[in-house]
Amino acid sequence: MSKNTFHLVSLGCAKNTVDSDSMAQLLLRDGYRSMDDPSKAAVLIVNTCGFIGPAKEESYRVLDELAKSKLDGQVLIAAGCLTQRYGVEVAKKVSGIDGILGTRRWMDIVQVVKEVRKSKHPEPIYHLPETATVGTDEYDALRVSVAGASAYIKVADGCRRPCAFCAIPLIKGTAVSRPVEAILHEARTLRDSGVRELVLIAQDTTDYGHDLGMKDGLAILLERLCDEVADISPHPNPSSIGKGARGEGGLDWIRVMYAYPGYVTDRLIEVMATRKQVLPYLDMPLQHAHPKTLYRMKRPSNMDWVYKTLGKMRATVKDLSMRTTFIVGYPGETDEEFQALYDFVQEIRFDRVGTFQFSFEPGTTSAPLGDPVPASVKLERFERLMELQQNISLQVNQSYVGKTLDVLIEGFDNGISIGRSYRDAPEIDGMVLVEGRAKVGEIVPVRITGAMAYDLTGALVEPTLIKL
Ligand code: SF4
């Protein structure tokens, strides 16, 4: 086991993935090598998730496994949201942890590794400063995570929303936006390294720039990304639905995740409707659809606004694909409130819906409400909503059969090219399974031939053109 080697496990959301990749970059830059096999690495790092119960359990399980299999000379560092939230408690629960690093200071990983390796003290090294360093570019680690031709770019971190069930503001602190120039710089670097799709992420992307004195910061950022970075190749293909340029390389797709209801402005809708690189795709977690439940959740509860905005978006943004998320079993949720949610999902027919059962989180403002909805009722409501959406998703997918979609090819297996269309965000949405071989990293037109609940099948429109 060579001294300057590390093995990093990344848990949780895409924002954590970005932090993990940025920590890895800083270690590589400091002369370390990344090892896939933990037994071959001198430094073990787990970037944990501390959001809800099941995620915390997984973080403790992974830490425990690595701690128990630790070899002489190896050190184990627990980083991320679980440590930021519970600090010392994590080291008490899992013996064998040598260092604790909070999510707000992931950029101090090299320093913490050095301190931990130098330390002769049996007690773990704690590095949990409250200060988050998101805005300033003190650390020129790219705040991105690249997977093939697609990359997440973190535009801000932290959140200032009051959602009663959510622990993220406790963990990450308030929302801090990154400078526009830093994001443009990263986007250029990614474009030049062959990335075709940029996925903009934050806890709340629609709050981007508020702390930089910007109004409509997200719309402005998208305009500048289109004007100053994205490839404006002359080969847009009008035949395939779901615009987004299909140029000969360059940055073609810009996708927006985690929009907060109430902050999807007319200017943002306008940019999504007119800028060809900005995909007609929006992820906007609504969490519920009954005003009383939303009010108890401390979420925007004006359902008239929700209907009006969804209507305006569908009328303005051609081929719009919408994803949202709901929580069932929130304290006080009555049958009538759940039925209102069920009817709303049936009526709106979202392309994609993620559903979660309420998870009691100590320290959140909903904690005093406890967790009164029985687990069996939560599960029954969860299954009913998932079943409803599965049928809707299948019907919506069936409406694409016979049409042509541009597909970003991400893999090839068993004679099938695997990719995503503009309707599919990485890791959470469906895929398009394409007959024939297309070049990985290319965006190619695909005629849809079949539909499943979440995925589509298709055939290459121009199989001969594909140069491997
Ligand atoms: S918007 Fe609400 S749910 Fe989302 S991260 Fe912020 S507080 Fe949590």
Side-chain angles (χ1 to χ4, degrees):
M1 183 201 328
S2 145
K3 203 159 85 44
N4 286 358
T5 50
F6 70 94
H7 171 77
L8 195 157
V9 180
S10 185
L11 304 173
C13 68
K15 283 137 309 205
N16 235 25
T17 310
V18 170
D19 291 354
S20 299
D21 286 18
S22 301
M23 286 196 275
Q25 270 180 63
L26 291 173
L27 287 164
L28 293 169
R29 221 171 268 163
D30 197 59
Y32 281 77
R33 277 182 302 117
S34 174
M35 310 302 281
D36 293 340
D37 179 348
S39 68
K40 301 238 174 358
V43 180
L44 305 170
I45 305 163
V46 181
N47 196 16
T48 62
C49 176
F51 185 38
I52 54 174
K56 292 187 273 187
E57 282 148 31
E58 184 197 20
S59 294
Y60 277 118
R61 185 175 46 70
V62 172
L63 281 168
D64 204 42
E65 275 167 18
L66 285 174
K68 288 203 170 74
S69 62
K70 222 169 64 173
L71 306 169
D72 284 353
Q74 282 189 316
V75 294
L76 173 61
I77 295 173
C81 295
L82 187 77
T83 52
Q84 185 76 47
R85 192 170 175 193
Y86 298 107
V88 179
E89 213 185 300
V90 177
K92 285 203 185 112
K93 274 199 178 163
V94 180
S95 64
I97 291 176
D98 304 290
I100 295 267
L101 169 62
T103 186
R104 299 185 194 185
R105 296 298 302 185
W106 55 265
M107 58 288 295
D108 298 346
I109 185 68
V110 173
Q111 172 202 335
V112 170
V113 167
K114 288 200 169 85
E115 283 172 22
V116 165
R117 303 187 82 179
K118 238 185 13 235
S119 163
K120 298 280 173 280
H121 205 280
E123 275 302 303
I125 298 275
Y126 291 98
H127 193 79
L128 294 164
E130 288 299 309
T131 49
T133 307
V134 175
T136 62
D137 254 338
E138 193 179 331
Y139 296 83
D140 60 2
L142 296 184
R143 285 180 183 82
V144 298
S145 171
V146 179
S150 179
Y152 291 117
I153 217 172
K154 195 195 283 193
V155 298
D157 213 350
C159 189
R160 63 182 176 134
R161 307 297 178 202
C163 310
F165 51 80
C166 183
I168 291 181
L170 300 172
I171 299 170
K172 295 266 185 177
T174 190
V176 179
S177 305
R178 304 189 49 231
V180 174
E181 293 310 326
I183 297 167
L184 294 178
H185 161 70
E186 269 163 17
R188 286 192 195 93
T189 308
L190 291 166
R191 176 201 62 197
D192 299 347
S193 67
V195 164
R196 309 295 298 272
E197 174 190 36
L198 263 191
V199 184
L200 303 191
I201 59 172
Q203 269 73 33
D204 170 5
T205 49
T206 41
D207 201 27
Y208 176 75
H210 82 280
D211 54 322
L212 303 174
M214 297 168 77
K215 185 174 171 308
D216 257 318
L218 179 59
I220 294 167
L221 176 63
L222 288 168
E223 287 165 348
R224 292 199 59 186
L225 281 167
C226 291
D227 295 341
E228 299 169 43
V229 181
D231 172 56
I232 44 176
S233 110
H235 295 299
N237 176 333
S239 67
S240 53
I241 48 180
K243 68 174 168 47
R246 176 160 51 82
E248 304 306 319
L251 183 61
D252 299 310
W253 288 0
I254 302 173
R255 186 185 301 275
V256 175
M257 308 296 291
Y258 309 107
Y260 186 81
Y263 288 76
V264 176
T265 62
D266 290 352
R267 182 163 177 186
L268 179 59
I269 296 172
E270 180 62 22
V271 168
M272 291 184 72
T274 56
R275 296 301 187 125
K276 66 172 182 270
Q277 285 88 358
V278 180
L279 293 174
Y281 173 98
L282 189 69
D283 163 48
M284 183 170 72
L286 289 168
Q287 308 300 8
H288 211 280
H290 193 291
K292 283 194 184 147
T293 323
L294 287 165
Y295 182 79
R296 289 195 309 279
M297 286 178 165
K298 295 192 183 345
R299 296 272 302 180
S301 55
N302 176 346
M303 286 306 293
D304 292 346
W305 179 92
V306 172
Y307 276 100
K308 213 167 102 252
T309 302
L310 291 175
K312 193 188 295 179
M313 289 187 71
R314 282 184 163 161
T316 316
V317 183
K318 188 169 168 295
D319 303 323
L320 177 70
S321 179
M322 287 232 43
R323 155 177 269 278
T324 191
T325 308
F326 295 113
I327 294 174
V328 296
Y330 187 76
E333 186 188 54
T334 59
D335 289 344
E336 183 248 338
E337 290 177 11
F338 173 73
Q339 193 55 45
L341 172 59
Y342 189 94
D343 298 345
F344 175 75
V345 171
Q346 195 158 40
E347 180 190 350
I348 300 296
R349 298 174 64 76
F350 291 96
D351 296 72
R352 319 282 184 192
V353 169
T355 304
F356 297 88
Q357 299 177 56
F358 171 71
S359 166
F360 172 81
E361 285 307 316
T364 59
T365 50
S366 72
L369 302 174
D371 192 2
V373 179
S376 57
V377 174
K378 279 190 211 171
L379 183 60
E380 188 248 336
R381 290 174 181 172
F382 171 81
E383 289 173 345
R384 282 188 58 203
L385 208 59
M386 289 298 279
E387 190 194 345
L388 170 66
Q389 181 57 29
Q390 196 173 33
N391 294 330
I392 291 172
S393 183
L394 175 60
Q395 291 155 17
V396 173
N397 275 358
Q398 282 165 340
S399 72
Y400 285 86
V401 174
K403 297 179 179 166
T404 298
L405 283 175
D406 282 345
V407 173
L408 172 58
I409 302 297
E410 296 187 303
F412 181 75
D413 183 29
N414 233 351
I416 298 288
S417 296
I418 300 157
R420 288 179 292 110
S421 76
Y422 80 92
R423 303 175 61 239
D424 310 309
E427 300 178 282
I428 53 174
D429 290 334
M431 295 185 291
V432 185
L433 309 173
V434 186
E435 239 177 272
R437 183 154 196 164
K439 191 173 175 192
V440 171
E442 281 303 325
I443 298 175
V444 294
V446 170
R447 191 174 71 275
I448 304 305
T449 55
M452 294 167 274
Y454 302 114
D455 304 326
L456 296 172
T457 60
L460 296 167
V461 170
E462 304 153 351
T464 50
L465 273 184
I466 306 301
K467 294 186 286 316
L468 295 178

